[in-house]
Amino acid sequence: FFEVSLSSTKYFISVYAPENSAYTLTVLADIGAFPRPGANGRLTARQLSELQVQISWDASGFVPPGISDAKQYWVYSSMLLESDNRTNMAVFLRPDKIMNTVCGLQNNTDRQYSIIPADQCSNGKCNATIDGVITDKRYVFNIVAESYRGHRMAYAGLIMRTNWEVIRQAANDRTLRVVGAVSGSVLG
């Protein structure tokens, strides 16, 4: 995402790609129609239960305000392979699997997980619950903000390893016998 002032009449844009690639160039006369991810695109996640993760993000903003507003947020979730490793700090994951751009998310996932209407956000904070995650697997989560004018912008993305351990007994058997004996003699 780059902003270029319109004070010049000539622009030269060059893109270098070592392999076959496709790019989209969007030129807007009214930059206030383009969503800007809140908190610089930072997402947070927490595991709610063994099979659920909650993703949270700050609502997108518009500069200058009043031109457009957020219509909805597209929630993306994808389980990563063990061989999926981040290769470059400028690219979220690796050059052939980019997960922090709108087109990268569309090309590298089957579809969005869900769509959250912007009016479901409260006090500038938005949440989505992802069901069906598998324990001890890595997932990439990301959000795409869409304005009422149809412009979309991806957040920064997040990689998370799910880790849910169900503890069925609070202590080992020996400790429980000692606690039972002491409780029995005190209460008993």
Side-chain angles (χ1 to χ4, degrees), residues 16-159:
Y16 170 75
E19 53 198 51
N20 247 352
S21 300
Y23 296 91
T24 300
L25 174 65
T26 303
V27 179
L28 297 174
D30 195 353
I31 62 170
F34 199 76
R36 297 166 190 255
N40 295 318
R42 186 176 52 250
L43 304 176
T44 58
R46 66 186 183 109
Q47 196 160 355
L48 297 176
S49 70
E50 186 174 5
L51 302 175
Q52 282 186 330
V53 171
Q54 182 184 52
I55 308 300
S56 301
W57 65 96
D58 287 355
S60 61
F62 294 82
V63 176
I67 305 298
S68 188
D69 284 314
K71 176 183 176 184
Q72 59 195 9
Y73 295 95
W74 300 67
V75 179
Y76 287 88
S77 169
S78 181
M79 185 168 54
L80 296 175
L81 303 172
E82 289 302 321
S83 60
D84 285 336
N85 291 312
R86 192 171 187 162
T87 59
N88 183 327
M89 289 308 289
V91 176
F92 187 58
L93 219 47
R94 60 180 196 262
D96 62 335
K97 193 171 187 177
I98 297 173
M99 302 297 274
N100 65 340
T101 65
V102 174
C103 61
L105 288 164
Q106 290 171 341
N107 292 335
N108 292 300
T109 59
D110 293 332
R111 61 181 177 80
Q112 77 279 356
Y113 177 80
S114 67
I115 297 175
I116 306 295
D119 59 9
Q120 287 188 4
C121 299
S122 178
N123 296 322
K125 301 289 183 188
C126 308
N127 297 301
T129 301
I130 313 277
D131 294 310
V133 296
I134 300 171
T135 302
D136 201 32
K137 296 291 182 183
R138 287 184 318 142
Y139 286 85
V140 61
F141 300 109
N142 210 342
I143 304 297
V144 171
E146 181 180 356
S147 73
Y148 276 102
R149 295 218 186 154
H151 299 295
R152 295 181 184 174
M153 182 67 176
Y155 279 62
L158 172 75
I159 294 176

